[in-house]
């Protein structure tokens, strides 16, 4: 039952991902610069290019997809490390604190390597980005909840349930960024699959 629930959740996430990828359109490439040079002003006004869907993913999409897969791999490893750490240091608050400190150290180290540490300090101390502060607070609550969930659920289930954050992101975007996301049939199907999958996993426990 747990495997079936996990499969339904995964399918639900793939449905919403595929719907978002299919909705992305790119402009048609220029077929001939010589032909464009002989277009009259009247033709240019009436002959507007229509966007078409790219038949194959470009290099940027492939690179981004690979990086996203690597992110998922390392996030999964992070779940195991946190679950393991709680067996030696059973404190959700401590785990979230050390995790946040490690992330901050990685950001500072990366900025120092790139030579952007001065700009990082200026951007964050002179002009405090309050929306980022709110995002950090929400992420901190999520991180604390994640460590707390490790005390009751196996690591793989916590990771799978956290993967549903894409659906929650769509919901929040719909509420606060109405022009960014639209609710369509694929999103409703995805939500239904995820809800059913989570219910089956819960029943399987």
């Amino acid at each position: 039952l747990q495997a079936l629930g996990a499969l339904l959740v995964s399918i639900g996430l793939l449905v919403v991902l595929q719907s978002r990828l299919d909705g992305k359109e790119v402009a048609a490439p220029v077929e001939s610069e010589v032909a464009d040079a002989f277009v009259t002003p009247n033709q240019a006004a009436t002959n507007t290019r229509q966007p078409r869907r790219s038949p194959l993913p470009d290099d940027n999409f492939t690179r981004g997809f690979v990086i996203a897969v690597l992110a998922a791999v390392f996030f999964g490893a992070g779940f195991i490390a946190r679950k393991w750490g709680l067996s030696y240091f059973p404190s959700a608050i401590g785990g979230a604190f050390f995790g946040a400190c490690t992330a901050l150290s990685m950001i500072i180290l990366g900025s120092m390597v790139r030579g952007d540490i001065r700009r990082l300090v200026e951007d964050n101390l002179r002009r405090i980005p309050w929306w980022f502060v709110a995002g950090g607070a929400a992420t901190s609550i999520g991180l604390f909840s994640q460590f707390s969930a490790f005390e009751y659920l196996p690591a793989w289930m916590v990771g799978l349930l956290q993967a549903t954050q894409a659906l929650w992101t769509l919901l929040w975007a719909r509420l606060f960024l109405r022009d960014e996301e639209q609710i369509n049939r694929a999103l409703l199907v995805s939500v239904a699959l995820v809800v059913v999958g989570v219910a089956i996993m819960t029943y399987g426990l």
Side-chain angles (χ1 to χ4, degrees):
L1 288 177
Q2 292 180 1
L4 177 61
L7 179 62
L8 290 177
V9 172
S10 301
I11 293 176
L13 296 176
L14 289 176
V15 168
V16 70
L17 176 62
Q18 185 63 39
S19 67
R20 288 301 182 263
L21 291 179
D22 291 341
K24 301 297 183 181
E25 295 182 347
V26 297
V30 178
E31 296 180 356
S32 173
E33 295 181 359
V34 177
D36 290 342
F38 291 95
V39 174
T40 63
N42 293 332
Q43 290 175 335
T46 58
N47 185 21
T48 58
R49 293 186 180 273
Q50 298 295 327
R52 65 177 181 85
R53 295 183 179 180
S54 177
L56 294 175
D58 55 12
D59 293 339
N60 291 333
F61 179 85
T62 303
R63 187 180 297 109
F65 188 84
V66 172
I67 294 175
V69 171
L70 288 177
V73 171
F74 284 102
F75 270 120
F79 291 142
I80 301 302
R82 290 164 186 161
K83 181 73 172 182
W84 199 2
L86 285 174
S87 61
Y88 294 95
F89 191 78
S91 173
I93 296 179
F97 173 75
F98 287 118
C101 290
T102 303
L104 179 61
S105 301
M106 294 295 293
I107 292 174
I108 293 176
L109 180 61
S111 299
M112 292 177 63
V113 172
R114 294 191 303 268
D116 295 336
I117 186 64
R118 182 175 181 179
R119 182 177 61 83
L120 180 67
V121 173
E122 292 179 352
D123 291 343
N124 287 274
L125 295 182
R126 293 184 179 180
R127 300 181 302 274
I128 299 178
W130 292 109
W131 283 113
F132 286 164
V133 173
T139 302
S140 298
I141 295 174
L143 189 59
F144 172 73
S145 301
Q146 179 192 108
F147 275 96
S148 300
F150 280 134
E151 299 179 1
Y152 305 99
L153 297 175
W156 72 267
M157 187 173 292
V158 175
L160 185 63
L161 293 176
Q162 188 166 341
T164 62
Q165 62 181 307
L167 298 180
W168 295 105
T169 302
L170 291 174
L171 174 62
W172 291 118
R174 178 61 178 171
L175 293 176
F176 296 100
L177 304 174
R178 296 184 180 274
D179 296 333
E180 297 292 332
E181 299 293 343
Q182 299 296 328
I183 296 178
N184 53 22
R185 182 180 302 175
L187 179 58
L188 295 178
V189 171
S190 177
V191 171
L193 288 173
V194 170
V195 171
V196 173
V198 172
I200 291 177
M201 285 192 299
T202 305
Y203 179 77
L205 293 177

